[in-house]
Amino acid sequence: MKKFLKPIEPFLDKGLNIAESFIHTHRTAHFLFGGLFDAFDGLLRSPKETTQTLPFIRNNYDVKRFMGAVLVALVGGWVLPAMYLFGWQCVIPKLLISFIAGTFIVDVLWVIIAREDHISEGGFVTCLFIPAILPPQAPLWLVGLGAALAILFRNILGGVGNNLVNPALFSRLFLTICFPAFLVTGYQMPLAGMQGTYAGLDAVTHATPFTAFKTNGEIPSYLSLLLGTETGSLGETCRLALIISGLWLMKIKVANWRIPVSYLGSVFVLSVFFSLIMGKTVAPPLFQLLSGGLIFGAFFMATDPITTTYNQTAKWIFGAGCGFVTVLIRDFTTLPEGVMYSILLMNLLAIPIQSLMVKIRYRL
Amino acid sequence: MKKETMGFKGGFHLLDAYPLSVCNIIDEISSDSTPETFQFPVFGQKIKHVIVNLCPTEPWALPNWVILKHKTIVFFNMIKEIQKTYFSDARLYLAITEKEDRVVEEARNFAGGEDWIRVFSLSAKYPQDDPVILTKIVLGMDVNFGQDTKPFGILILDPQTISAMHEQGIMRKDVTSRYLALSGTGLRENEIIHVELGTSVEKILKNKVREAVTFRVFINGPLRGKEITDFSQKIDWSVNNIVVLEEKNRKALFPMFKADELAFTTNLIGESRRCVYCNFCDDICPVDLEPALYYHSYVRGEKHKARLYNMGKCIECGLCSFICPSKLELQKIIIECKALGKHE
């Protein structure tokens, strides 16, 4: 990669310098495109700021690499498996629409209007989440609307670092309320091995494993759930790939290991508990772990560092709370899935949990 | 004796992150005026514990081999003589880095079963050699940062001071020069120099700095030391090393593909952003604090609140600012909030 980029570097550097000096000397240009240029420049070049206070050297790790790691994990965790399972014709257009609506329209407009300094890479992560948490048969306009809403919502709250709740999940909640029909029925069986024919809307819709369980109590094989040959949202079906990339994220410390462990652990413990009390009317523990968006939510959504607590002990409570709400919704309500609601609720509760834990720890 | 390495939670392996190769030839530099002499340390209180710090954890610090000269036994005998002459009822603790197991082995053989000396093999994580952490791990005692340890009867000595004490106190020879480690991306070569006390920094750096490079000079390392702009400053005994870093104050294309180019320069390597609650700072903190809490209090304008979160324990090692992916000036905030407390 380095060798490949070497010949174009001088030209690119020169061009960017010329554009930079042009924009900074012309007031109208600066007013309109200043923020946009800085954002674009920020993606290609490192800033020239140097350290002015102790310590005078800094680690070679910035937010860009942090978000880049999440992007890599998401591509490995759901984009590639989904392309195999549902066909690339289903995945690629959704990704394109999501990125265009989210980062290239809403974020760019926001940078121009609100005069932010940079387009945050967090937007790419959010836009990569949106298609994954919608059904495979969701129409393209729904994906675009979802991405636009998520980015708009995040920017209104103040951008990356000020999110109250996970923007992608908030957007999905909004879509669930406004367009329930698309989000309840748009599930299809994966088309693994059927590449080449665009099945798209012609494919037969099929209930998700949880809806099937709630209506007639049937449980699919655990292996098919693990490998992703069952119905579900576009990104959540291939649990094996999600677990592997989630473990990688935990290893490089981008995702905090405490949250997935406590989330999955509490779901398991509580579902064992309820199964013992109520028998076959509630879903068995292993089925709970391997169905719905639990794995995706536990490894990628709940671990979003901004919307969880900062205190490490409080992260255990956060994860356990997510698991508790998830099991309650799954076992005792008519809703087909509870991961989204549980994470959103715990995102809001993270603030009081955090201040409580700080008070306990420092005896305030 | 069983082989064990002692350490602490957090910290950072700086030695692995910045491997500096040092030239083995030691350059002699003499000062223009009459050199100053080494001031023999005075101890008012009775010393009960002497810790010999043979555990450099910063890559730019003076390596042990310069003083030990691969003749570890000679050095240990030196220590024994000093102990007999000056602190005959004190106990000696050799804190040796785990990276030099040969020295640890020799020290264990030398100590044998004797009561006056103890050998510790310590992890080479930065800031293991900080006085607070050293006394905590070696003696199990709590001292505050910046506090003088002598009233507790603890004396922490580096190998160079030991050898100077031996030369001046026992051999009755004046010590007028010391070893310095010179390193950094602004230099042609990393090297060890033997320099007379009172030499100016300007003279030391003559013909050693790379041409056509803007540089900044730091005394005692870029993490805990201080920057100097006045190069006529003279070297005294407290200077252990000089680091010359390249000032990369220009934009670099595709930083993600060339990590090595910006490392160990003064560049921030990234944009300053808001805190993303990544927990890097409290994972790395050697004294188990949560530096981001100070940042949150600070940006809310509640500096006085920041002091509630155990701020007094902070040893100002700079690791939180070093690791922060959002490039927040956490250490600056901590120092500012601490200063606020002193005025009240």
Side-chain angles (χ1 to χ4, degrees), chain A residues 41 44 46 51 53 56 58-60 121 158 160 310 312 315 361, chain B residues 216 222 251-252 254 259 266 268 273-274 279 283 288 322 327 329:
Chain A
D41 195 30
L44 290 180
S46 74
T51 50
T53 57
F56 292 102
R58 297 297 162 92
N59 193 23
N60 183 14
E121 320 72 42
V160 174
Y310 170 69
Q312 307 258 23
K315 282 187 201 296
R361 179 169 172 185
Chain B
R216 285 160 79 182
K251 295 188 172 182
F254 306 118
T266 53
L268 264 184
R273 295 280 175 87
R274 279 192 209 99
N279 286 95
D283 274 341
D288 203 17
F322 171 79
K327 313 292 164 189
E329 302 286 357

PDB file of all heavy atoms in Angstrom, chain A residues 41 44 46 51 53 56 58-60 121 158 160 310 312 315 361, chain B residues 216 222 251-252 254 259 266 268 273-274 279 283 288 322 327 329:
ATOM      1  N   ASP A  41      -9.554  16.905   4.250  1.00  0.00           N
ATOM      2  CA  ASP A  41      -8.118  16.933   4.512  1.00  0.00           C
ATOM      3  C   ASP A  41      -7.773  16.063   5.715  1.00  0.00           C
ATOM      4  O   ASP A  41      -6.763  15.368   5.710  1.00  0.00           O
ATOM      5  CB  ASP A  41      -7.715  18.387   4.764  1.00  0.00           C
ATOM      6  CG  ASP A  41      -6.227  18.586   4.683  1.00  0.00           C
ATOM      7  OD1 ASP A  41      -5.585  17.840   3.918  1.00  0.00           O
ATOM      8  OD2 ASP A  41      -5.694  19.442   5.388  1.00  0.00           O
ATOM      9  N   LEU A  44      -7.244  12.468   4.911  1.00  0.00           N
ATOM     10  CA  LEU A  44      -6.050  12.090   4.152  1.00  0.00           C
ATOM     11  C   LEU A  44      -4.758  12.390   4.890  1.00  0.00           C
ATOM     12  O   LEU A  44      -3.787  11.661   4.766  1.00  0.00           O
ATOM     13  CB  LEU A  44      -6.025  12.833   2.808  1.00  0.00           C
ATOM     14  CG  LEU A  44      -7.062  12.409   1.790  1.00  0.00           C
ATOM     15  CD1 LEU A  44      -6.901  13.221   0.525  1.00  0.00           C
ATOM     16  CD2 LEU A  44      -6.909  10.934   1.466  1.00  0.00           C
ATOM     17  N   SER A  46      -2.471  13.799   8.403  1.00  0.00           N
ATOM     18  CA  SER A  46      -2.464  13.984   9.855  1.00  0.00           C
ATOM     19  C   SER A  46      -2.294  15.472  10.130  1.00  0.00           C
ATOM     20  O   SER A  46      -1.671  16.183   9.349  1.00  0.00           O
ATOM     21  CB  SER A  46      -1.321  13.196  10.476  1.00  0.00           C
ATOM     22  OG  SER A  46      -0.107  13.838  10.205  1.00  0.00           O
ATOM     23  N   THR A  51       2.914  18.826  20.277  1.00  0.00           N
ATOM     24  CA  THR A  51       2.621  18.860  21.708  1.00  0.00           C
ATOM     25  C   THR A  51       3.176  20.125  22.320  1.00  0.00           C
ATOM     26  O   THR A  51       4.299  20.532  22.014  1.00  0.00           O
ATOM     27  CB  THR A  51       3.264  17.662  22.400  1.00  0.00           C
ATOM     28  OG1 THR A  51       4.626  17.628  21.993  1.00  0.00           O
ATOM     29  CG2 THR A  51       2.601  16.379  21.991  1.00  0.00           C
ATOM     30  N   THR A  53       2.397  20.753  25.882  1.00  0.00           N
ATOM     31  CA  THR A  53       2.546  20.524  27.324  1.00  0.00           C
ATOM     32  C   THR A  53       3.028  19.088  27.533  1.00  0.00           C
ATOM     33  O   THR A  53       2.995  18.280  26.617  1.00  0.00           O
ATOM     34  CB  THR A  53       1.202  20.688  28.054  1.00  0.00           C
ATOM     35  OG1 THR A  53       0.274  19.794  27.466  1.00  0.00           O
ATOM     36  CG2 THR A  53       0.679  22.094  27.948  1.00  0.00           C
ATOM     37  N   PHE A  56       5.589  15.178  26.067  1.00  0.00           N
ATOM     38  CA  PHE A  56       5.884  15.730  24.763  1.00  0.00           C
ATOM     39  C   PHE A  56       5.875  14.699  23.645  1.00  0.00           C
ATOM     40  O   PHE A  56       6.075  15.041  22.493  1.00  0.00           O
ATOM     41  CB  PHE A  56       7.212  16.483  24.793  1.00  0.00           C
ATOM     42  CG  PHE A  56       7.146  17.718  25.631  1.00  0.00           C
ATOM     43  CD1 PHE A  56       7.673  17.742  26.904  1.00  0.00           C
ATOM     44  CD2 PHE A  56       6.509  18.852  25.169  1.00  0.00           C
ATOM     45  CE1 PHE A  56       7.586  18.877  27.682  1.00  0.00           C
ATOM     46  CE2 PHE A  56       6.415  19.987  25.939  1.00  0.00           C
ATOM     47  CZ  PHE A  56       6.950  19.995  27.201  1.00  0.00           C
ATOM     48  N   ARG A  58       3.467  11.453  22.078  1.00  0.00           N
ATOM     49  CA  ARG A  58       2.137  10.868  22.213  1.00  0.00           C
ATOM     50  C   ARG A  58       2.110   9.524  21.510  1.00  0.00           C
ATOM     51  O   ARG A  58       2.873   9.289  20.561  1.00  0.00           O
ATOM     52  CB  ARG A  58       1.073  11.792  21.600  1.00  0.00           C
ATOM     53  CG  ARG A  58       0.965  13.126  22.291  1.00  0.00           C
ATOM     54  CD  ARG A  58       0.536  12.984  23.738  1.00  0.00           C
ATOM     55  NE  ARG A  58       0.832  14.179  24.502  1.00  0.00           N
ATOM     56  CZ  ARG A  58      -0.019  15.166  24.668  1.00  0.00           C
ATOM     57  NH1 ARG A  58      -1.207  15.112  24.133  1.00  0.00           N
ATOM     58  NH2 ARG A  58       0.316  16.208  25.377  1.00  0.00           N
ATOM     59  N   ASN A  59       1.188   8.715  21.975  1.00  0.00           N
ATOM     60  CA  ASN A  59       1.076   7.375  21.397  1.00  0.00           C
ATOM     61  C   ASN A  59       0.501   7.467  19.993  1.00  0.00           C
ATOM     62  O   ASN A  59      -0.279   8.346  19.671  1.00  0.00           O
ATOM     63  CB  ASN A  59       0.171   6.526  22.279  1.00  0.00           C
ATOM     64  CG  ASN A  59       0.253   5.077  21.929  1.00  0.00           C
ATOM     65  OD1 ASN A  59       1.252   4.636  21.360  1.00  0.00           O
ATOM     66  ND2 ASN A  59      -0.764   4.340  22.242  1.00  0.00           N
ATOM     67  N   ASN A  60       0.908   6.521  19.183  1.00  0.00           N
ATOM     68  CA  ASN A  60       0.489   6.508  17.798  1.00  0.00           C
ATOM     69  C   ASN A  60      -0.873   5.826  17.681  1.00  0.00           C
ATOM     70  O   ASN A  60      -0.997   4.772  17.085  1.00  0.00           O
ATOM     71  CB  ASN A  60       1.551   5.758  16.987  1.00  0.00           C
ATOM     72  CG  ASN A  60       1.235   5.750  15.547  1.00  0.00           C
ATOM     73  OD1 ASN A  60       0.384   6.508  15.084  1.00  0.00           O
ATOM     74  ND2 ASN A  60       1.889   4.884  14.819  1.00  0.00           N
ATOM     75  N   GLU A 121     -15.410  10.120  11.788  1.00  0.00           N
ATOM     76  CA  GLU A 121     -15.448   8.752  11.269  1.00  0.00           C
ATOM     77  C   GLU A 121     -16.529   7.946  11.965  1.00  0.00           C
ATOM     78  O   GLU A 121     -16.916   6.897  11.487  1.00  0.00           O
ATOM     79  CB  GLU A 121     -14.115   8.025  11.485  1.00  0.00           C
ATOM     80  CG  GLU A 121     -12.889   8.822  11.274  1.00  0.00           C
ATOM     81  CD  GLU A 121     -12.694   9.828  12.376  1.00  0.00           C
ATOM     82  OE1 GLU A 121     -12.913   9.499  13.551  1.00  0.00           O
ATOM     83  OE2 GLU A 121     -12.376  10.966  12.048  1.00  0.00           O
ATOM     84  N   GLY A 158     -24.672  16.784  19.427  1.00  0.00           N
ATOM     85  CA  GLY A 158     -23.329  17.339  19.601  1.00  0.00           C
ATOM     86  C   GLY A 158     -22.222  16.483  19.031  1.00  0.00           C
ATOM     87  O   GLY A 158     -21.071  16.685  19.363  1.00  0.00           O
ATOM     88  N   VAL A 160     -19.906  12.984  17.820  1.00  0.00           N
ATOM     89  CA  VAL A 160     -19.276  11.875  18.529  1.00  0.00           C
ATOM     90  C   VAL A 160     -18.720  12.362  19.860  1.00  0.00           C
ATOM     91  O   VAL A 160     -18.059  13.368  19.932  1.00  0.00           O
ATOM     92  CB  VAL A 160     -18.142  11.280  17.677  1.00  0.00           C
ATOM     93  CG1 VAL A 160     -17.384  10.232  18.457  1.00  0.00           C
ATOM     94  CG2 VAL A 160     -18.710  10.686  16.422  1.00  0.00           C
ATOM     95  N   TYR A 310     -18.496   5.153  32.044  1.00  0.00           N
ATOM     96  CA  TYR A 310     -17.042   5.232  31.966  1.00  0.00           C
ATOM     97  C   TYR A 310     -16.404   4.314  33.000  1.00  0.00           C
ATOM     98  O   TYR A 310     -15.414   3.653  32.734  1.00  0.00           O
ATOM     99  CB  TYR A 310     -16.598   6.680  32.185  1.00  0.00           C
ATOM    100  CG  TYR A 310     -15.121   6.825  32.359  1.00  0.00           C
ATOM    101  CD1 TYR A 310     -14.277   6.588  31.285  1.00  0.00           C
ATOM    102  CD2 TYR A 310     -14.556   7.165  33.575  1.00  0.00           C
ATOM    103  CE1 TYR A 310     -12.914   6.692  31.428  1.00  0.00           C
ATOM    104  CE2 TYR A 310     -13.198   7.274  33.719  1.00  0.00           C
ATOM    105  CZ  TYR A 310     -12.380   7.035  32.641  1.00  0.00           C
ATOM    106  OH  TYR A 310     -11.031   7.119  32.789  1.00  0.00           O
ATOM    107  N   GLN A 312     -15.383   1.227  35.164  1.00  0.00           N
ATOM    108  CA  GLN A 312     -15.290  -0.161  34.714  1.00  0.00           C
ATOM    109  C   GLN A 312     -16.207  -1.090  35.497  1.00  0.00           C
ATOM    110  O   GLN A 312     -16.741  -2.048  34.952  1.00  0.00           O
ATOM    111  CB  GLN A 312     -13.845  -0.654  34.844  1.00  0.00           C
ATOM    112  CG  GLN A 312     -12.849   0.241  34.167  1.00  0.00           C
ATOM    113  CD  GLN A 312     -12.388  -0.301  32.844  1.00  0.00           C
ATOM    114  OE1 GLN A 312     -13.066  -1.093  32.217  1.00  0.00           O
ATOM    115  NE2 GLN A 312     -11.231   0.122  32.409  1.00  0.00           N
ATOM    116  N   LYS A 315     -19.691  -0.929  34.268  1.00  0.00           N
ATOM    117  CA  LYS A 315     -19.936  -1.642  33.013  1.00  0.00           C
ATOM    118  C   LYS A 315     -20.557  -3.015  33.270  1.00  0.00           C
ATOM    119  O   LYS A 315     -21.352  -3.496  32.468  1.00  0.00           O
ATOM    120  CB  LYS A 315     -18.624  -1.795  32.232  1.00  0.00           C
ATOM    121  CG  LYS A 315     -18.220  -0.526  31.502  1.00  0.00           C
ATOM    122  CD  LYS A 315     -17.033  -0.788  30.631  1.00  0.00           C
ATOM    123  CE  LYS A 315     -16.259   0.449  30.272  1.00  0.00           C
ATOM    124  NZ  LYS A 315     -16.929   1.438  29.482  1.00  0.00           N
ATOM    125  N   ARG A 361     -17.355   4.718  44.816  1.00  0.00           N
ATOM    126  CA  ARG A 361     -15.928   4.485  44.766  1.00  0.00           C
ATOM    127  C   ARG A 361     -15.136   5.547  45.526  1.00  0.00           C
ATOM    128  O   ARG A 361     -14.176   5.238  46.224  1.00  0.00           O
ATOM    129  CB  ARG A 361     -15.472   4.452  43.308  1.00  0.00           C
ATOM    130  CG  ARG A 361     -14.011   4.240  43.220  1.00  0.00           C
ATOM    131  CD  ARG A 361     -13.496   3.937  41.859  1.00  0.00           C
ATOM    132  NE  ARG A 361     -12.039   3.972  41.980  1.00  0.00           N
ATOM    133  CZ  ARG A 361     -11.214   3.847  40.993  1.00  0.00           C
ATOM    134  NH1 ARG A 361     -11.673   3.659  39.794  1.00  0.00           N
ATOM    135  NH2 ARG A 361      -9.915   3.898  41.171  1.00  0.00           N
TER     136      ARG A 361
ATOM    137  N   ARG B 216      13.459  20.043  19.189  1.00  0.00           N
ATOM    138  CA  ARG B 216      13.222  20.547  20.544  1.00  0.00           C
ATOM    139  C   ARG B 216      13.997  19.664  21.503  1.00  0.00           C
ATOM    140  O   ARG B 216      14.158  18.474  21.277  1.00  0.00           O
ATOM    141  CB  ARG B 216      11.725  20.507  20.861  1.00  0.00           C
ATOM    142  CG  ARG B 216      10.985  21.631  20.150  1.00  0.00           C
ATOM    143  CD  ARG B 216       9.530  21.337  20.052  1.00  0.00           C
ATOM    144  NE  ARG B 216       8.825  21.600  21.298  1.00  0.00           N
ATOM    145  CZ  ARG B 216       7.531  21.369  21.458  1.00  0.00           C
ATOM    146  NH1 ARG B 216       6.819  20.875  20.469  1.00  0.00           N
ATOM    147  NH2 ARG B 216       6.949  21.630  22.594  1.00  0.00           N
ATOM    148  N   PRO B 222      11.044  13.145  27.471  1.00  0.00           N
ATOM    149  CA  PRO B 222       9.864  13.903  27.052  1.00  0.00           C
ATOM    150  C   PRO B 222       8.612  13.591  27.855  1.00  0.00           C
ATOM    151  O   PRO B 222       7.620  14.292  27.725  1.00  0.00           O
ATOM    152  CB  PRO B 222       9.692  13.490  25.585  1.00  0.00           C
ATOM    153  CG  PRO B 222      10.349  12.176  25.480  1.00  0.00           C
ATOM    154  CD  PRO B 222      11.424  12.122  26.497  1.00  0.00           C
ATOM    155  N   LYS B 251       1.868  18.762   7.894  1.00  0.00           N
ATOM    156  CA  LYS B 251       0.913  17.681   7.694  1.00  0.00           C
ATOM    157  C   LYS B 251       1.573  16.517   6.974  1.00  0.00           C
ATOM    158  O   LYS B 251       2.394  16.717   6.084  1.00  0.00           O
ATOM    159  CB  LYS B 251      -0.267  18.201   6.870  1.00  0.00           C
ATOM    160  CG  LYS B 251      -1.043  19.255   7.602  1.00  0.00           C
ATOM    161  CD  LYS B 251      -2.305  19.623   6.883  1.00  0.00           C
ATOM    162  CE  LYS B 251      -3.132  20.536   7.766  1.00  0.00           C
ATOM    163  NZ  LYS B 251      -4.403  20.903   7.165  1.00  0.00           N
ATOM    164  N   ALA B 252       1.209  15.324   7.352  1.00  0.00           N
ATOM    165  CA  ALA B 252       1.769  14.140   6.705  1.00  0.00           C
ATOM    166  C   ALA B 252       0.637  13.397   6.008  1.00  0.00           C
ATOM    167  O   ALA B 252      -0.418  13.168   6.600  1.00  0.00           O
ATOM    168  CB  ALA B 252       2.432  13.246   7.732  1.00  0.00           C
ATOM    169  N   PHE B 254      -1.478  10.340   4.433  1.00  0.00           N
ATOM    170  CA  PHE B 254      -1.768   8.939   4.760  1.00  0.00           C
ATOM    171  C   PHE B 254      -1.071   8.484   6.043  1.00  0.00           C
ATOM    172  O   PHE B 254      -0.232   7.588   6.018  1.00  0.00           O
ATOM    173  CB  PHE B 254      -1.373   8.014   3.607  1.00  0.00           C
ATOM    174  CG  PHE B 254      -1.991   8.400   2.313  1.00  0.00           C
ATOM    175  CD1 PHE B 254      -1.209   8.765   1.239  1.00  0.00           C
ATOM    176  CD2 PHE B 254      -3.363   8.407   2.174  1.00  0.00           C
ATOM    177  CE1 PHE B 254      -1.787   9.144   0.048  1.00  0.00           C
ATOM    178  CE2 PHE B 254      -3.946   8.791   0.985  1.00  0.00           C
ATOM    179  CZ  PHE B 254      -3.156   9.152  -0.087  1.00  0.00           C
ATOM    180  N   ALA B 259       3.150   4.627  10.331  1.00  0.00           N
ATOM    181  CA  ALA B 259       3.133   4.892  11.763  1.00  0.00           C
ATOM    182  C   ALA B 259       4.524   5.253  12.265  1.00  0.00           C
ATOM    183  O   ALA B 259       4.674   6.091  13.142  1.00  0.00           O
ATOM    184  CB  ALA B 259       2.620   3.674  12.508  1.00  0.00           C
ATOM    185  N   THR B 266       7.579  15.239  18.034  1.00  0.00           N
ATOM    186  CA  THR B 266       6.673  16.013  18.886  1.00  0.00           C
ATOM    187  C   THR B 266       5.274  16.115  18.297  1.00  0.00           C
ATOM    188  O   THR B 266       4.412  16.758  18.877  1.00  0.00           O
ATOM    189  CB  THR B 266       7.217  17.431  19.089  1.00  0.00           C
ATOM    190  OG1 THR B 266       7.482  17.991  17.818  1.00  0.00           O
ATOM    191  CG2 THR B 266       8.454  17.413  19.923  1.00  0.00           C
ATOM    192  N   LEU B 268       1.461  15.500  17.410  1.00  0.00           N
ATOM    193  CA  LEU B 268       0.380  14.959  18.246  1.00  0.00           C
ATOM    194  C   LEU B 268      -0.109  13.607  17.737  1.00  0.00           C
ATOM    195  O   LEU B 268      -0.711  12.851  18.486  1.00  0.00           O
ATOM    196  CB  LEU B 268      -0.809  15.921  18.238  1.00  0.00           C
ATOM    197  CG  LEU B 268      -0.970  16.919  19.359  1.00  0.00           C
ATOM    198  CD1 LEU B 268      -2.252  17.684  19.176  1.00  0.00           C
ATOM    199  CD2 LEU B 268      -1.011  16.227  20.706  1.00  0.00           C
ATOM    200  N   ARG B 273      -9.884  15.620  19.945  1.00  0.00           N
ATOM    201  CA  ARG B 273     -11.331  15.400  19.855  1.00  0.00           C
ATOM    202  C   ARG B 273     -11.932  15.478  21.239  1.00  0.00           C
ATOM    203  O   ARG B 273     -11.245  15.761  22.209  1.00  0.00           O
ATOM    204  CB  ARG B 273     -11.600  13.991  19.294  1.00  0.00           C
ATOM    205  CG  ARG B 273     -11.149  13.796  17.899  1.00  0.00           C
ATOM    206  CD  ARG B 273     -12.133  14.380  16.953  1.00  0.00           C
ATOM    207  NE  ARG B 273     -11.663  14.297  15.592  1.00  0.00           N
ATOM    208  CZ  ARG B 273     -11.858  13.256  14.805  1.00  0.00           C
ATOM    209  NH1 ARG B 273     -12.480  12.209  15.276  1.00  0.00           N
ATOM    210  NH2 ARG B 273     -11.435  13.271  13.570  1.00  0.00           N
ATOM    211  N   ARG B 274     -13.220  15.129  21.291  1.00  0.00           N
ATOM    212  CA  ARG B 274     -13.847  14.985  22.599  1.00  0.00           C
ATOM    213  C   ARG B 274     -13.486  13.624  23.180  1.00  0.00           C
ATOM    214  O   ARG B 274     -13.098  12.714  22.455  1.00  0.00           O
ATOM    215  CB  ARG B 274     -15.355  15.050  22.448  1.00  0.00           C
ATOM    216  CG  ARG B 274     -15.864  16.434  22.358  1.00  0.00           C
ATOM    217  CD  ARG B 274     -17.358  16.423  22.500  1.00  0.00           C
ATOM    218  NE  ARG B 274     -17.879  17.554  21.772  1.00  0.00           N
ATOM    219  CZ  ARG B 274     -18.389  17.470  20.556  1.00  0.00           C
ATOM    220  NH1 ARG B 274     -18.459  16.313  19.956  1.00  0.00           N
ATOM    221  NH2 ARG B 274     -18.826  18.534  19.947  1.00  0.00           N
ATOM    222  N   ASN B 279     -11.727   4.316  27.959  1.00  0.00           N
ATOM    223  CA  ASN B 279     -11.122   3.639  29.115  1.00  0.00           C
ATOM    224  C   ASN B 279      -9.635   3.341  28.958  1.00  0.00           C
ATOM    225  O   ASN B 279      -9.077   2.599  29.750  1.00  0.00           O
ATOM    226  CB  ASN B 279     -11.841   2.323  29.440  1.00  0.00           C
ATOM    227  CG  ASN B 279     -13.175   2.567  30.079  1.00  0.00           C
ATOM    228  OD1 ASN B 279     -14.182   2.590  29.403  1.00  0.00           O
ATOM    229  ND2 ASN B 279     -13.186   2.802  31.369  1.00  0.00           N
ATOM    230  N   ASP B 283      -7.118   2.253  32.192  1.00  0.00           N
ATOM    231  CA  ASP B 283      -6.444   0.959  32.050  1.00  0.00           C
ATOM    232  C   ASP B 283      -4.941   1.108  32.224  1.00  0.00           C
ATOM    233  O   ASP B 283      -4.279   0.215  32.734  1.00  0.00           O
ATOM    234  CB  ASP B 283      -6.721   0.364  30.666  1.00  0.00           C
ATOM    235  CG  ASP B 283      -8.008  -0.432  30.643  1.00  0.00           C
ATOM    236  OD1 ASP B 283      -8.459  -0.814  31.734  1.00  0.00           O
ATOM    237  OD2 ASP B 283      -8.545  -0.669  29.554  1.00  0.00           O
ATOM    238  N   ASP B 288      -4.085   3.530  39.489  1.00  0.00           N
ATOM    239  CA  ASP B 288      -5.493   3.168  39.522  1.00  0.00           C
ATOM    240  C   ASP B 288      -6.424   4.368  39.713  1.00  0.00           C
ATOM    241  O   ASP B 288      -7.293   4.365  40.573  1.00  0.00           O
ATOM    242  CB  ASP B 288      -5.735   2.131  40.633  1.00  0.00           C
ATOM    243  CG  ASP B 288      -6.998   1.331  40.364  1.00  0.00           C
ATOM    244  OD1 ASP B 288      -7.448   1.372  39.218  1.00  0.00           O
ATOM    245  OD2 ASP B 288      -7.513   0.703  41.292  1.00  0.00           O
ATOM    246  N   PHE B 322      -0.438  10.492  27.223  1.00  0.00           N
ATOM    247  CA  PHE B 322       0.318   9.773  26.190  1.00  0.00           C
ATOM    248  C   PHE B 322      -0.586   8.824  25.422  1.00  0.00           C
ATOM    249  O   PHE B 322      -0.545   8.758  24.199  1.00  0.00           O
ATOM    250  CB  PHE B 322       1.460   9.010  26.870  1.00  0.00           C
ATOM    251  CG  PHE B 322       2.184   8.052  25.966  1.00  0.00           C
ATOM    252  CD1 PHE B 322       3.121   8.513  25.073  1.00  0.00           C
ATOM    253  CD2 PHE B 322       1.916   6.694  26.030  1.00  0.00           C
ATOM    254  CE1 PHE B 322       3.782   7.640  24.247  1.00  0.00           C
ATOM    255  CE2 PHE B 322       2.576   5.818  25.198  1.00  0.00           C
ATOM    256  CZ  PHE B 322       3.509   6.287  24.305  1.00  0.00           C
ATOM    257  N   LYS B 327      -6.331  12.718  22.192  1.00  0.00           N
ATOM    258  CA  LYS B 327      -5.266  13.700  22.401  1.00  0.00           C
ATOM    259  C   LYS B 327      -5.663  14.797  23.375  1.00  0.00           C
ATOM    260  O   LYS B 327      -5.414  15.981  23.151  1.00  0.00           O
ATOM    261  CB  LYS B 327      -4.830  14.322  21.058  1.00  0.00           C
ATOM    262  CG  LYS B 327      -4.582  13.327  19.956  1.00  0.00           C
ATOM    263  CD  LYS B 327      -3.369  12.477  20.234  1.00  0.00           C
ATOM    264  CE  LYS B 327      -3.365  11.266  19.336  1.00  0.00           C
ATOM    265  NZ  LYS B 327      -2.343  10.305  19.682  1.00  0.00           N
ATOM    266  N   GLU B 329      -5.400  16.900  26.817  1.00  0.00           N
ATOM    267  CA  GLU B 329      -4.257  17.295  27.650  1.00  0.00           C
ATOM    268  C   GLU B 329      -4.571  16.964  29.104  1.00  0.00           C
ATOM    269  O   GLU B 329      -4.718  17.838  29.947  1.00  0.00           O
ATOM    270  CB  GLU B 329      -3.969  18.779  27.485  1.00  0.00           C
ATOM    271  CG  GLU B 329      -3.682  19.210  26.064  1.00  0.00           C
ATOM    272  CD  GLU B 329      -2.306  18.786  25.585  1.00  0.00           C
ATOM    273  OE1 GLU B 329      -1.557  18.199  26.383  1.00  0.00           O
ATOM    274  OE2 GLU B 329      -1.998  19.037  24.417  1.00  0.00           O
TER     275      GLU B 329
END
